[in-house]
Amino acid sequence: MPITTQQIMEWKHQERAIVALTAWDFALGQVLDEAGVDLILIGDSLAMVALGYDTTLPVTLDEMLLHAKAVRRGVKRALLVCDLPFMSYQESVQQAVHSAGRLLKEAGVQAVKLEGGNPTAVATVARLVEVGIPVMGHVGLTPQSVHRLGYRQQGTSLAARERILSEAIALEQAGAFAIVLEHIPSSLACQITQKLTIPTIGIGAGPDVDGQVLVTSDLLGLSTRQPPFAKSYVNLREIITQAVRSFSSEVKERKFPVD
Ligand code: KIV
């Protein structure tokens, strides 16, 4: 049975931890889905990990659509969520509805994610939910604001803690079904998780959240640089290099293919 946003919300109340990862193509989507990941995010981090940009800002809605369609073809069970990329929703609520609508209609994702919890973002979430588009919020470090905030941990002062907490509450009230908490102190993530009735999915937010997400290239050891809170479970860059070197030597020594 495909996982729904309702299921994700129920798991918070059952204290069942939510497992989320990012994907950017068919093969990765299929592997993550078959490995039992609950929520697969076509994150705009693909701008950096799949397209080689320095930030997430350059990726366009059309590029996100291309990747989302490929992942969709590989995913049968996990809840599929796609990021609204930079400048595909900030201009107006109408622009957000149009962009999110395309992701649901053309790529078949079940929900979208957008960054920020200011009053404009909250109004956008409310309108998307009103037209039937489930939304995942994202507060704390929001990479689309890198030129304003950098990649620093957020919520370190009392004022910033209070702002992030009220943004999370406002996003829940606007109808978000879940919320990503990125690179904030674990005590703040814990406070938000206790306060909200929707699940919190942490990345660099400590253990006291309802689920965890990682950028999959960090988990696999494919990234050339990764944030301090990421964990690699395998060094795929090294494994791929060894495999390519083996192939290369066998070709040069005329050992592959065998007759
Ligand atoms: O784009 C992305 O990969 C994300 C994760 C950091 C959650 O938004």
Side-chain angles (χ1 to χ4, degrees), residues 239-255:
I239 291 172
I240 292 172
T241 304
Q242 286 311 327
V244 172
R245 287 199 180 129
S246 301
F247 171 67
S248 180
S249 337
E250 289 196 6
V251 170
K252 287 177 187 160
E253 291 162 22
R254 304 206 178 273
K255 289 186 180 159

Side-chain angles (χ1 to χ4, degrees), residues 33-50:
D33 195 45
E34 289 175 1
V37 172
D38 302 316
L39 186 157
I40 296 179
L41 172 70
I42 301 118
D44 61 357
S45 55
L46 73 80
M48 299 166 83
V49 302

Side-chain angles (χ1 to χ4, degrees), residues 12 34 76 79 103:
K12 178 179 178 106
E34 289 175 1
K76 304 276 175 275
L79 181 75
L103 289 168

